[in-house]
């Protein structure tokens, strides 16, 4: 129902409340936090927040609007920076319309003098606030936009910690925790893809917040290109989180009447710790329509050819690997890099997406037929945004790449980036992939992207990084529409493109190129804050990790991989009988528990030093799996007991050790038993003495 300029708008989830005030024509968040009772008078919140005049400060203080504006005299980073050749740079749009139906709200504000209209769309979807800002140029000249933030949310002074996620190739999603300081904490990503180093998400928490306790606010920007995320803290005690796409100079220019919408901000809040925040994000993702296709069948166990053969393709070998993969339980065979014309190493071939007949003399059909005869789906690797200078495509269209005249390209895996901002490039790539998918029986694409956009100049000489990202989205959307049954994996040298924007059109993230099971536990833990297990590609790698050189047992590699979208990526011909048997048993266990792993609530445990512990609990608490890994030797002979979490306190659970198949250590618990949820969560479980690099997995079933 529409109301003209109400003083307050309130949106509720089951456990969260948002209240926006409209005083002075500026929509500003008055409250964002755990659910308030229905009878909470918004005016009482305003009174609780009211401030007297502070020395040496403006009074009344400038409200912290959904878009802080320069025309307000806002002392911090503006949510909109735009101008007309240097003029009209300090906008002050004030409310003209407000709409709300209790689930969603829209605030429209206009600055007639400067020709600017701002619309904020906010929706409470489950427990997640989904918010975007739209700017329209209602003036009569071109408006250059330097930045447009998604709606800005305030931070209370009692939440001082910033938990960020950063990393590098083969070591993504590492968590950092810092205390907010006055001024800006800013992370900028200019790599042209979501990036390994600046994940567009963060958590703001109380100092005492843990996985299970305390207040935590989560924020994520659903955008796969350049971005800026900022936490600003003012000397008046206020603070905010601002997230936005990061345009390059002159990259966004709006003609009269044109609009620009910010990427979507996803926000959640909980006073039950960071696990609860993850549940909100996971449940929201699982509920969105784009995710439903993952529910049409269990997530197939992948076999990926990369670390087994790299570029050294031979059809007979790949068929043999397919036979081995099916024997241990694979359900999908993915042919990675190296199958297409001229691709004998990483110096040539990208762009020429036809089968290399010097290797596959009869095309891919015999391999696909073989794979399918073994009951597996077939998947294919592509890197559609890239071209090697040594390729027919580049020789025919050297002008199709992103480039800056006069500035030499950087060497980066011997490849350049095609300009997806150009319609003819998008059309060509779509046609080529469409033809492959129409020719062959292909159920899965691994869409890779292995270099930064270091020189993102478009054909018109202007910056084209945003247009590239939008172009990638468009091609993916067209492919999905044309081939709705083909699943797509998002890979960018591992986890360099993981965000809700790309995941609106893809079905899995290749989390990291590192298959080192110990490193993976930290990578997967970080990843799990925003993404559920069924989206997390997780493979059993070789006995000696190709990236870290670490030797780890098959039992540990299996235990780590089984808690994601499981797969394997190793030369199965090299396995001895014992390892083959362990791998097959681990895949079988994953399949038995797959519905729980891919549908339950993740519970990260605050375990003692040296132990990584987490579990998955069915939403009704009836069943759970817990994984406990000894990472290093404990300081004491026995590590402190591990207290489980997320269980039904009053219920009696039958506990069974389900992994490893044979436990070298003597452990009274190995034969199982019956325990109450309260005992498991309050007394905890004493682990046996285990070698570092060993994991146990416990299954609990409510009696
Ligand atoms: C990237 C991916 C790998 C693999 C190679 C192939 O590094 O992350 O998984 O596909 O490319 O070149």
């Amino acid at each position: 129902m529409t109301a003209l300029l109400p003083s307050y708008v309130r949106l509720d989830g089951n456990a969260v409340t948002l209240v926006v005030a409209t005083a002075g024509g500026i929509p500003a968040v008055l409250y964002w936090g755990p659910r308030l009772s229905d009878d909470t008078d918004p005016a009482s919140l305003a009174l609780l927040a009211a401030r007297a005049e502070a020395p040496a400060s403006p009074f009344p203080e400038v409200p912290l609007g959904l878009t802080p504006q320069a025309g307000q005299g806002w002392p911090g980073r503006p949510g909109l920076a735009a101008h007309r050749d240097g003029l009209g740079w300090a906008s002050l749009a004030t409310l003209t319309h407000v709409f709300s139906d209790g689930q969603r709200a829209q605030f429209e504000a206009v600055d007639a003098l400067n020709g600017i209209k701002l619309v904020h769309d906010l929706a409470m979807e489950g427990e997640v606030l989904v918010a975007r800002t739209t700017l329209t140029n209602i003036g009569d000249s071109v408006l250059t936009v330097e930045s447009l933030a998604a709606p800005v949310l305030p931070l209370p002074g009692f939440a001082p910690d910033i938990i960020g996620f950063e990393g590098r190739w083969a070591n993504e999603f590492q968590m950092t925790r810092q205390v907010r300081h006055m001024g800006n904490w800013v992370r900028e990503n200019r790599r042209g893809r979501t990036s390994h180093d600046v994940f567009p998400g963060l958590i703001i928490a109380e100092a005492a917040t843990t996985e299970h306790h305390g207040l935590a606010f989560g924020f994520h920007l659903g955008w796969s290109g350049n971005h800026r995320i900022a936490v600003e803290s003012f000397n008046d005690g206020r603070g905010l989180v601002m997230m936005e796409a990061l345009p390059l100079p002159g990259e966004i220019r709006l003609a009269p009447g044109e609009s620009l919408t910010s990427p979507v901000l996803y926000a959640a809040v909980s006073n039950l710790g960071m696990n609860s925040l993850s549940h909100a994000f996971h449940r929201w993702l699982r509920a969105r329509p784009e995710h439903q296709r993952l529910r049409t069948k269990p997530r197939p166990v992948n076999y990926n050819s990369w670390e087994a053969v790299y570029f050294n393709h031979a059809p007979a070998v790949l068929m043999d690997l397919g036979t081995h993969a099916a024997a241990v339980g694979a359900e999908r065979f993915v042919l990675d890099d190296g199958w297409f014309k001229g691709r004998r190493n990483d110096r040539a071939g990208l762009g020429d997406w036809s089968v290399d007949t010097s290797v596959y003399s009869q095309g891919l059909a015999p391999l696909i037929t073989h794979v399918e005869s073994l009951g597996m789906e077939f998947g294919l690797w592509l890197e559609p945004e890239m071209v090697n200078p040594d390729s027919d495509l580049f020789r025919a269209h050297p002008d199709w790449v992103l480039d800056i005249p006069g500035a030499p390209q950087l060497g980066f895996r011997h490849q350049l980036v095609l300009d997806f901002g150009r319609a003819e490039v998008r059309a060509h790539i779509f046609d080529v992939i469409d033809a492959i998918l129409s020719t062959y029986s292909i159920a899965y694409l691994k869409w890779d992207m292995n270099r930064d956009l270091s020189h993102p100049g478009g054909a018109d000489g202007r910056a084209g990084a945003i247009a590239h990202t939008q172009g990638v989205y468009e091609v993916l959307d067209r492919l999905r529409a044309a081939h709705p049954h083909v699943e797509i994996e998002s890979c960018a040298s591992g986890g360099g493109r993981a965000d809700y924007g790309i995941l609106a059109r893809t079905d899995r993230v290749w989390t990291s190129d590192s298959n080192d099971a110990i490193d993976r536990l930290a990578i997967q833990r970080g990843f799990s804050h925003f993404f559920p297990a069924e989206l997390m590609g997780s493979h059993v790698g070789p006995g000696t990790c190709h990236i870290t050189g670490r030797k780890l047992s098959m039992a540990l590699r299996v235990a780590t991989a089984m808690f994601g979208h499981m797969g394997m990526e190793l030369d199965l011909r090299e396995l001895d009988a014992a390892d083959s048997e362990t791998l097959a048993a681990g895949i079988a266990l994953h399949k038995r528990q797959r519905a729980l792993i891919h549908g339950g609530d993740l519970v990260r445990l605050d375990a003692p030093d040296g132990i990584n512990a987490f579990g998955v609990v069915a939403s009704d608490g009836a069943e759970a799996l817990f994984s406990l890994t000894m990472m290093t030797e404990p300081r004491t002979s026995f590590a402190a007991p591990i207290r489980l979490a997320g269980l039904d306190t009053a219920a009696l659970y039958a506990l069974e050790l389900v992994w490893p198949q044979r436990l070298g250590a003597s452990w009274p618990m190995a034969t199982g038993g019956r325990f109450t949820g309260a005992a498991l969560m309050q007394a905890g479980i004493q682990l046996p003495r285990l070698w570092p690099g060993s994991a146990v997995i416990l299954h609990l079933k409510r009696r």
Side-chain angles (χ1 to χ4, degrees), residues 306-494:
W306 180 238
E307 292 206 357
V309 298
Y310 293 102
F311 293 108
N312 194 14
H313 285 214
V317 169
L318 287 154
M319 285 193 193
D320 194 19
L321 286 169
T323 306
H324 280 79
V328 291
E331 296 161 317
R332 178 188 280 153
F333 181 95
V334 181
L335 187 65
D336 210 281
D337 197 355
W339 58 269
F340 48 96
K341 190 159 173 264
R343 190 67 167 173
R344 306 282 43 87
N345 53 50
D346 65 5
R347 291 175 172 267
L350 291 174
D352 295 344
W353 302 111
S354 59
V355 180
D356 193 331
T357 48
S358 73
V359 178
Y360 294 92
S361 56
Q362 299 166 65
L364 293 180
L367 176 60
I368 296 176
T369 304
H370 177 69
V371 161
E372 290 185 337
S373 75
L374 293 164
M376 295 185 290
E377 296 179 352
F378 184 79
L380 193 64
W381 181 95
L382 289 165
E383 196 177 356
E385 295 151 77
M386 299 292 158
V387 64
N388 287 117
D390 185 0
S391 67
D392 294 343
L393 182 70
F394 186 78
R395 282 183 282 273
H397 299 284
D399 58 322
W400 275 11
V401 297
L402 288 167
D403 192 25
I404 300 175
Q409 291 276 4
L410 290 184
F412 207 127
R413 217 190 185 206
H414 317 288
Q415 60 196 55
L416 300 170
V417 188
L418 292 171
D419 181 359
F420 268 49
R422 289 173 70 153
E424 63 273 36
V425 172
R426 294 196 299 273
H428 171 79
I429 294 294
F430 173 83
D431 288 347
V432 167
I433 301 177
D434 181 55
I436 294 171
L437 294 178
S438 306
T439 307
Y440 291 111
S441 172
I442 292 176
Y444 185 80
L445 287 183
K446 177 176 174 183
W447 180 297
D448 207 342
M449 199 284 196
N450 286 318
R451 75 159 287 169
D452 294 345
L453 274 59
S454 51
H455 287 71
D460 58 1
R462 295 184 179 279
I466 289 176
H468 179 86
T469 303
Q470 287 167 338
V472 171
Y473 285 173
E474 187 192 305
V475 173
L476 283 166
D477 290 341
R478 276 190 75 191
L479 283 169
R480 279 185 90 123
H483 302 277
H485 301 299
V486 176
E487 291 188 14
I488 304 178
E489 172 173 24
S490 172
C491 176
S493 307

Side-chain angles (χ1 to χ4, degrees), residues 89-101:
W89 56 276
S91 65
L92 178 52
T94 52
L95 282 172
T96 47
H97 288 98
V98 174
F99 162 85
S100 175
D101 62 5

